[in-house]
Amino acid sequence: MDAKRIFDIFFSLTGLFFLSPVFLLVFVLLKRENKGPVFYRQTRVGLNQKCFQLIKFRTMCPGADKMGLLTIGDHDARITRVGCWLRKHKVDELPQLLNILKGEMSFVGPRPEVLKYVEMYDSSQQRVLSVKPGITDWASIKYIDESSLLATADDPESFYIHNVIPSKISQNLEYIDHHNLWIDCKIISYTLKSILLK
């Protein structure tokens, strides 16, 4: 077991223990708001193109993904009132600690994408699938306001496919070629700083 995996197991368990009151609070808030499920599961593509179920707190009305995979702007009509707060503070991402504990994800690594967009990768871009996906990476910091950026585009999905995805992959490949536990800690600290400043 390498240092990165030991780091992931230790801090995912620690996070789940200390954040359990937050999980309980979110559970109560979501159940009070409507009768939908608390957790949202979506199929993402992970290490070596193996699909897994990414877990988040549900922030949209049930069935919202059938109306589009991308979230456009901060006032997407599909987002619930509680969901808006969860997204703003990235609290909706916390259940991915379970994905990390299961070994499907790491704290740091390329954000896992849905199959629809992965199928558009060329042979060089597919190298991002040679490492475990993560909760955060350099691209996540750069595109922390991605939904707002997409809202300014005439065709959000086209802009995402032709501009955002190539930019993210470029940064992810750079990470793959130059990463270690110290850089991971640096990315985590920058991510937390970005969330707090936002």
Side-chain angles (χ1 to χ4, degrees):
M1 188 180 297
D2 62 17
K4 187 178 177 74
R5 181 58 183 151
I6 293 172
F7 178 95
D8 285 342
I9 292 174
F10 178 79
F11 283 103
S12 60
L13 283 172
T14 302
L16 287 168
F17 177 78
F18 284 104
L19 293 171
S20 56
V22 177
F23 275 67
L24 180 60
L25 175 62
V26 173
F27 180 90
V28 171
L29 291 175
L30 289 175
K31 281 300 182 182
R32 285 185 63 184
E33 186 173 47
N34 58 58
K35 301 301 181 182
V38 170
F39 297 106
Y40 169 71
R41 293 173 173 82
Q42 185 181 54
T43 301
R44 300 287 181 99
V45 183
L47 176 64
N48 298 325
Q49 302 189 40
K50 183 178 180 180
C51 292
F52 68 98
Q53 295 296 302
L54 181 138
I55 310 169
K56 289 186 176 187
F57 283 122
R58 184 176 58 80
T59 60
M60 292 187 174
C61 58
D65 51 357
K66 296 178 182 178
M67 294 179 269
L69 295 172
L70 298 177
T71 304
I72 313 299
D74 295 329
H75 302 290
D76 190 312
R78 298 171 298 169
I79 302 175
T80 65
R81 183 169 55 85
V82 172
C84 183
W85 184 87
L86 294 178
R87 281 174 172 266
K88 180 179 180 181
H89 300 285
K90 302 296 182 181
V91 177
D92 61 316
E93 308 282 356
L94 292 180
Q96 288 165 59
L97 291 171
L98 295 170
N99 290 119
I100 293 175
L101 191 59
K102 291 167 65 178
E104 298 165 332
M105 293 179 65
S106 179
F107 274 99
V108 180
R111 283 296 295 166
E113 190 57 90
V114 296
L115 184 60
K116 173 182 177 179
Y117 299 126
V118 171
E119 290 177 337
M120 300 178 186
Y121 292 179
D122 61 32
S123 57
S124 63
Q125 292 174 327
Q126 288 177 3
R127 193 157 65 90
V128 300
L129 304 174
S130 66
V131 297
K132 280 185 184 179
I135 288 183
T136 187
D137 57 7
W138 291 123
S140 298
I141 298 169
K142 178 179 179 179
Y143 290 100
I144 193 167
D145 287 318
E146 180 181 295
S147 62
S148 297
L149 176 64
L150 294 177
T152 65
D154 294 331
D155 186 338
E157 183 167 49
S158 177
F159 181 80
Y160 182 73
I161 292 170
H162 297 105
N163 296 87
V164 177
I165 288 179
S167 174
K168 285 183 174 182
I169 290 179
S170 177
Q171 292 178 78
N172 289 331
L173 293 178
E174 180 71 17
Y175 168 78
I176 290 172
D177 291 333
H178 306 92
H179 75 279
N180 53 47
L181 203 53
W182 166 247
I183 290 177
D184 283 5
C185 291
K186 190 175 181 180
I187 291 173
I188 291 170
S189 66
Y190 282 9
T191 300
L192 293 174
K193 183 179 178 180
S194 297
I195 294 171
L196 292 173
L197 288 175
K198 184 181 178 183

